[in-house]
Amino acid sequence: MRVRSAVVRITAAVLAVGCITACADGAPTAVPGPMARDSARATAPGGVVGGAGTSAASVRAKASCTAGKCTDNSRASGSENRPGTGGGRHPCSPSVSLDRYSDALDKTTFQGTFIGNLSALARDTDGSIAAVSDRSVLIGLDGRTHRPVRAAKITDEQGAVLDAEGLAVEPGGTYLVSSETEPSVRRYDRSGALLGRLPVPDALRVAPAGRAQSNQTFEGLALRPGGGTLTAAMEGPLTGDGKDTAGRPLLRFQTWHRYGARTGPAPYRPGKQYAYPVDAGLGVSEIAALSDGRLLVLERGFTAGVGNTVRLYLADPRRAADVSDVAKLPGGKTVRAAHKKLLADLGVCPSLGAPAHQPQTNPLLDNIEGMTITGRAPGGRLRLLLVSDDNESPKQITRLYELTVRPGGH
């Protein structure tokens, strides 16, 4: 009898571990809203679910599976949950897990340059992480430690600073930087010297030159692996553009394609432009390109006294209509917008004891603006690095987030 009992216990433990793995790698499902999240979350002091002293064995024992769906009702404690340390998979949804976060860059300097106001990230050709601040500084971060290793000022053609919001690295190591002032996309060499400027459709220019609203233009920038297609995401809609049938505002994403030899000041031509339905009350803060043409899209919003909302979507523009010549969106039933699928509401991620300097429904959140794919994990998952823009404010934090994401599909 003792032998059979031991076998049963071992089998149950194996099934529990398998259940936790299935939960982390499963297909995306709808994420509950803030009210449902707050009422469902049982949080111990310090914001760590499960409380201090919870053993790994008890965590596995608390996992349950019903009708093929698994729920991990606790989190492993210890160094994994101490702010900015450890590593581990802390599920935010069936498709996204939080590995760790770090505030090590917050309110720091490097060789006299303030390391903050970070609005975009991109994986560099030398293995480091390129970052850009909206105060017109290109910054290099060590690919492993994320400590600053270089910084260079960048300017426009007249030597003026940029409101830099998007960043991409070309295969040759040059930088593409978007500014939401005009808006514009410019190319820079490794030292920060200006090389050229890409053409921008007139309608996307800030009024009165075009129909864009001030500070609502090129917030996200992504170069498809291989360097052939560049995409810029508008943060907000153009004046005159409307909503889809679900009441979601329609934004415009502009593409460019490289042509000829990969040299010259601006070897890109404008390509397809398509509509993207953003959640009501949010804007697009960043995009990252997958090799198959899909995009990861970060949507963000802020409500005073409540805090930030940050959602990660998978967008598929491959069957979307070209709306370059559509004067006003939605443009009729035949105009297909990009399809999107929610991967995670980051407000549902475990806080891991993170501090917040202003009201937040989840203290982990802040003004997240930058995102890049840093590599691949087993099982087709992607490793993501996100960063928040502190705006040099004592109420905000420069925070790095490491996530593992399973986009699914092809």
Side-chain angles (χ1 to χ4, degrees), residues 107-321:
K107 309 301 184 288
T108 60
T109 60
F110 173 75
Q111 297 180 351
T113 298
F114 181 74
I115 305 300
N117 305 300
L118 301 183
S119 54
L121 299 173
R123 191 165 185 263
D124 213 330
T125 53
D126 61 1
S128 65
I129 302 297
V132 69
S133 85
D134 56 21
R135 304 301 196 272
S136 210
V137 181
L138 272 171
I139 297 167
L141 304 175
D142 183 275
R144 186 178 61 84
T145 66
H146 301 151
R147 296 180 182 277
V149 294
R150 58 183 178 271
K153 296 279 187 180
I154 55 174
T155 66
D156 66 10
E157 292 80 356
Q158 286 72 45
V161 299
L162 311 174
D163 185 0
E165 298 290 349
L167 174 66
V169 181
E170 294 183 294
T174 49
Y175 300 111
L176 294 161
V177 179
S178 66
S179 172
E180 65 176 352
T181 304
E182 307 96 343
S184 63
V185 179
R186 293 180 175 87
R187 297 177 72 235
Y188 296 88
D189 69 13
R190 304 290 291 181
S191 70
L194 180 61
L195 299 176
R197 182 169 171 170
L198 277 60
V200 174
D202 290 340
L204 302 184
R205 299 185 185 280
V206 173
R211 295 166 45 211
Q213 304 172 62
S214 179
N215 296 318
Q216 293 289 302
T217 63
F218 291 165
E219 188 77 13
L221 195 67
L223 191 62
R224 185 171 173 177
T229 302
L230 179 71
T231 302
M234 299 288 282
E235 183 178 9
L238 298 183
T239 300
D241 282 349
K243 302 177 180 181
D244 66 3
T245 55
R248 299 174 297 187
L250 292 169
L251 313 185
R252 296 185 187 236
F253 284 18
Q254 177 65 46
T255 66
W256 291 262
H257 300 296
R258 292 202 69 147
Y259 62 92
R262 296 181 182 274
T263 57
Y268 291 86
R269 290 195 181 108
K272 180 178 177 180
Q273 183 184 113
Y274 53 87
Y276 174 84
V278 66
D279 288 359
L282 304 184
V284 169
S285 65
E286 186 60 291
I287 56 176
L290 306 186
S291 59
D292 61 9
R294 296 179 299 169
L295 297 170
L296 295 176
V297 180
L298 202 62
E299 298 187 15
R300 173 210 55 190
F302 177 75
T303 303
V306 177
N308 290 98
T309 299
V310 183
R311 294 173 185 153
L312 180 64
Y313 279 93
L314 178 67
D316 191 347
R318 293 174 295 185
R319 296 184 179 179

Side-chain angles (χ1 to χ4, degrees), residues 70-84:
C70 306
T71 303
D72 180 8
N73 297 318
S74 187
R75 302 281 187 269
S77 64
S79 65
E80 287 185 355
N81 282 349
R82 286 201 297 269

Side-chain angles (χ1 to χ4, degrees), residues 306-398:
V306 177
N308 290 98
T309 299
V310 183
R311 294 173 185 153
L312 180 64
Y313 279 93
L314 178 67
D316 191 347
R318 293 174 295 185
R319 296 184 179 179
D322 187 350
V323 298
S324 301
D325 296 325
V326 177
K328 295 184 178 181
L329 298 176
K333 295 181 179 180
T334 60
V335 177
R336 184 198 299 263
H339 173 75
K340 72 175 188 177
K341 176 178 67 174
L342 180 65
L343 295 178
D345 182 332
L346 299 190
V348 181
C349 294
S351 68
L352 304 188
H357 299 336
Q358 61 180 334
Q360 295 281 2
T361 55
N362 183 340
L364 179 74
L365 297 184
D366 209 284
N367 179 36
I368 301 177
E369 288 205 6
M371 172 177 65
T372 189
I373 299 169
T374 59
R376 290 189 172 274
R381 297 188 302 274
L382 303 173
R383 298 196 187 282
L384 256 62
L385 183 67
L386 278 60
V387 69
S388 59
D389 178 354
D390 72 335
N391 290 307
E392 290 191 54
S393 168
K395 294 183 178 181
Q396 293 177 283
I397 303 170
T398 297

